[in-house]
Amino acid sequence: MTTPELATLFCQDVATLQKLGLRIVVVHGGGPMINAMLEKVGVESRFEGGMRVSTEEVVDVAAMVLSGTVNKNISSGISQAGGRALGLSGRDDALLQ
């Protein structure tokens, strides 16, 4: 989400769709937040053809940002908007192999 306002509106939309009986799965990215954290911790990252080339350090930072900050912000935002949300990572219980 590019602004806090858009994030709030997104979470409200998800909560509204749930109230209408839809079951929603949110799959998110977080490139700008990953970039900010990489810069903050001094880990270099590069792109080839628009795709991030990830070292083990970059993967660790990305997992921290996506599973921690981004995932939890989305889950709590949906809950605050009156919906239900559970934040999972593909690493949880070997969901993705």
Side-chain angles (χ1 to χ4, degrees):
M1 308 289 156
T2 55
T3 68
E5 294 79 18
L6 283 177
T8 299
L9 290 171
F10 170 80
C11 292
Q12 290 170 346
D13 287 348
V14 170
T16 299
L17 291 169
Q18 288 179 342
K19 290 174 187 170
L20 294 172
L22 281 81
R23 297 178 68 174
I24 307 296
V25 174
V26 176
V27 179
H28 65 80
M33 284 131 310
I34 293 169
N35 290 341
M37 183 59 74
L38 288 169
E39 186 174 318
K40 185 175 183 177
V41 298
V43 174
E44 290 190 32
S45 176
R46 65 183 177 87
F47 289 81
E48 288 182 10
M51 304 276 291
R52 187 187 309 273
V53 177
S54 299
T55 63
E56 190 172 332
E57 278 185 304
V58 170
V59 170
D60 288 344
V61 171
M64 177 180 66
V65 170
L66 295 173
S67 296
T69 307
V70 177
N71 190 309
K72 301 311 174 196
N73 285 346
I74 293 170
S75 296
S76 66
I78 293 169
S79 295
Q80 289 174 358
R84 295 187 66 205
L86 174 66
L88 295 173
S89 161
R91 291 183 174 182
D92 294 333
D93 197 33
L95 292 173
L96 298 178
Q97 296 182 9

